[in-house]
């Protein structure tokens, strides 16, 4: 057993968890920011990053709206909360460009400790916990901000399969090739205070407003309704009536562009013949999708040049949105597949989210 590297890793974690004391997040380093790799697990479609506890890297699931983080310890837990030392790669502005810097260390990072392996059920293979990035003082984003004294913000650049999480100030490495971020105010849902809700007022397809029940776009007195952003949802979900109106409008707009439909492929209900989708050097020509928010702010979920479809089999492409049911907790949940086209900056201190226009993938 002693020759098994995973044994040493878990032995270290067990000792590590028992031997640290409760402390506030701190560091002697002052980087401009931090950068972590993020990958999409092909089986669960969850987003996975690595945390280095001391010198031991472990895979953890990224949960955008979770208020805190937890790690599994096979050796048991001295308490339900531990104070950890985390090593991370810094990201600094040098000669006007953001470049990867040396590793830096933060101490006193509070993590939950889970000794029951059943907590790992449903997580991507090899994952040993969940990292929470929610609007909370105990989220990893807030603790890194306190430790390194950079702005209380982070950004997700999920990409098509491999991407990055940036903690601290921008601009971000891949943003050099994109337009500036546009911002909209974050809403607070008292029932789900750590989640990231935005004030979507309407949905446009190819410039035409989709007819829906606008009351569903507001958060009611019971915390239901509205629109939030989540890394745990692979594809954007919509309340049934919104979904039906949206997909019908998109199919109509696609047909007007000469794009023909084919038999649906589960879990999607709107699928298209790839040979009828026009392709140009700057990308495919498809109907626009835009979420309209206050102050003339629009989030383009799809536009010509960016591919909004999921390839499912030979020459079949589907609209990757799902029916969220008749009475979902939240009317619209923007999922990872739609997030991958943009850089998303979550500015917790200023209660706003910024996003770049979608890119070609």
């Amino acid at each position: 057993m002693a020759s098994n590297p995973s044994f040493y890793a878990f032995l270290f974690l067990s000792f590590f968890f028992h031997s640290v004391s409760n402390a506030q997040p701190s560091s002697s380093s002052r980087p401009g920011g931090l950068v972590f790799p993020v990958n999409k697990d092909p089986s669960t479609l969850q987003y996975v990053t690595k945390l280095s506890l001391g010198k031991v890297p472990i895979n953890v699931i990224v949960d955008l709206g979770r208020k805190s983080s937890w790690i599994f310890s096979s050796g048991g837990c001295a308490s339900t909360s531990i104070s950890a030392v985390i090593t991370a790669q810094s990201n600094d502005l040098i000669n006007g460009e953001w470049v990867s810097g040396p590793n830096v260390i933060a101490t006193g990072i509070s993590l939950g400790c889970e000794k029951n392996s059943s907590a790992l059920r449903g997580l991507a293979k090899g994952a040993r916990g969940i990292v929470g990035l929610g609007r909370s003082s105990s989220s990893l984003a807030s603790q890194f901000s306190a430790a390194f004294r950079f702005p209380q913000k982070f950004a997700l650049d999920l990409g098509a399969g491999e991407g990055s999480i940036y903690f601290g100030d921008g601009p971000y490495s891949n943003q050099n090739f994109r337009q500036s971020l546009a911002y909209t105010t974050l809403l607070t849902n008292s029932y789900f205070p750590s989640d990231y809700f935005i004030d979507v007022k309407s949905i446009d397809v190819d410039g035409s407003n989709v007819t829906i029940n606008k009351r569903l776009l507001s958060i009611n007195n019971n915390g239901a309704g509205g629109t939030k952003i989540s890394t745990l949802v692979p594809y954007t979900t919509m309340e049934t009536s919104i979904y039906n109106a949206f997909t019908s409008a998109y199919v109509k707009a696609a047909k007007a562009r000469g794009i023909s439909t084919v038999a649906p492929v589960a879990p999607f209900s709107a699928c298209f013949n790839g040979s009828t989708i026009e392709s140009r050097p700057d990308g495919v020509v498809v109907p626009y999708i835009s979420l309209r928010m206050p102050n003339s702010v629009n989030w383009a979920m799809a536009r010509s040049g960016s591919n909004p479809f999921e390839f499912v089999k030979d020459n079949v492409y589907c609209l990757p949105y799902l029916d969220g049911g008749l009475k979902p907790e939240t009317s619209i949940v923007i999922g990872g597949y739609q997030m991958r086209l943009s850089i998303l900056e979550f500015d917790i201190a200023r209660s706003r989210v910024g996003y770049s226009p979608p890119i070609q993938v």
Side-chain angles (χ1 to χ4, degrees), residues 262 270-275 277 307 309-319:
V262 296
C271 298
F272 305 92
N273 183 338
S275 65
I277 301 172
N307 183 6
F309 298 125
E310 175 77 291
F311 172 76
V312 294
K313 61 180 182 178
D314 290 346
N315 222 28
V316 175
Y317 294 80
C318 296
L319 187 65

